[in-house]
Amino acid sequence: MKLGIIREGKVPPDSRVLFTPQQCVDLQNKYPIQFVVQPSEGRCIKDEAYQKAGILLSEDVSDCAVLMGIKEVPKEQLIPNKKYFFFSHTIKKQAYNKALLQKILKENITLMDYEVLTNTNKQRVIAFGRFAGIVGAHNGMMTYGRRTKAFDLQQMHQYDDYAAAIAYYKTLQFPAMKIVLTGTGRVANGAAEVFDHMGIRKVSPADFLHKNYEEAVYTQLDCQDYVATKDDSEFELFDFFKNPGNYQSIFAPYTKVADLMVNGIYWDNAAPSFFSKED
């Protein structure tokens, strides 16, 4: 079976790629498959790296049984009767991609959308996770440093790898500042990892609100720290997940003392906002 790694057609193009050259080689050695890589100038791994590893480069991928990309494939680039893997951004009935989904159906295309791939526990296997939190926290700190001129960070992608970023953190002196991090899942814990590597001390939500510090600190909020029931009944986590509209934000006190907010939660449209434009 031929598997085609397609060039990203969405504008602006995504620079990510599904498999490194070595991963392609390893998979070809393990399974009866052949990778075909469509050349791309914008991909984070250069075409020459695939060629050097012995992976076939070809502009024409029409003979591949499966075509794999990252973001939405433009309608005019879809090949009829193929199997595709990509993020279609249609599962939530996004109106702007309605025509794309209609074209997929019309052309007898089988779509495997990363957003709906789950394990046996019905948990998504491809989703925002640790590295999303790492990059978000890093870039949030970069923005704060640039605004205040207190310290200098480059965007995360400017570092060769995470280890290089961590090594640079050790050279910095952070001002006395307070960071509020929301969430306790994969994204939020990835963000917390950054603050830990930066040497920023973690404190409890209560201490964060009521104590003054002469150093940089952060606190990590669980659901019950930023929402409460509208009827003053006891907070129940699974009820909040099931009926988010029955809850209201109690985040306001953190806005009075925090210098930076890093949001690491999954947000339901029915859930209360942390704060409003009026706030």
Side-chain angles (χ1 to χ4, degrees), residues 189-238:
N189 288 335
E193 194 177 318
V194 168
F195 300 137
D196 292 339
H197 282 304
M198 287 179 170
I200 297 174
R201 184 157 65 93
K202 186 176 184 179
V203 299
S204 70
D207 286 349
F208 185 89
L209 287 174
H210 302 297
K211 290 186 177 181
N212 295 319
Y213 297 92
E214 296 182 356
E215 61 180 316
V217 298
Y218 81 95
T219 195
Q220 188 171 1
L221 305 187
D222 207 341
C223 299
Q224 62 266 32
D225 297 314
Y226 59 81
V227 293
T229 57
K230 291 179 179 178
D231 61 5
D232 292 328
S233 59
E234 187 176 351
F235 177 88
E236 294 184 12
L237 183 63
F238 290 104

Side-chain angles (χ1 to χ4, degrees), residues 109-124:
I109 289 169
T110 301
L111 172 64
M112 276 70 74
D113 193 313
Y114 301 127
E115 194 171 351
V116 295
L117 297 180
T118 58
N119 61 20
T120 54
N121 295 321
K122 302 299 181 183
Q123 297 170 319
R124 285 180 61 181

Side-chain angles (χ1 to χ4, degrees), residues 21 37 39-40 43 45-55 57:
V37 175
S40 172
R43 193 177 286 133
I45 299 177
K46 302 303 180 186
D47 296 338
E48 293 75 18
Y50 289 96
Q51 276 186 315
K52 188 176 180 180
I55 304 302
L57 285 180

Side-chain angles (χ1 to χ4, degrees), residues 127-138 181-195 220 262-267:
F128 280 123
R130 171 173 172 255
F131 280 107
I134 286 171
V135 173
H138 174 101
L181 168 63
T182 60
T184 57
R186 293 175 300 185
V187 175
N189 288 335
E193 194 177 318
V194 168
F195 300 137
Q220 188 171 1
V262 175
N263 185 20
I265 70 161
Y266 170 82
W267 188 69

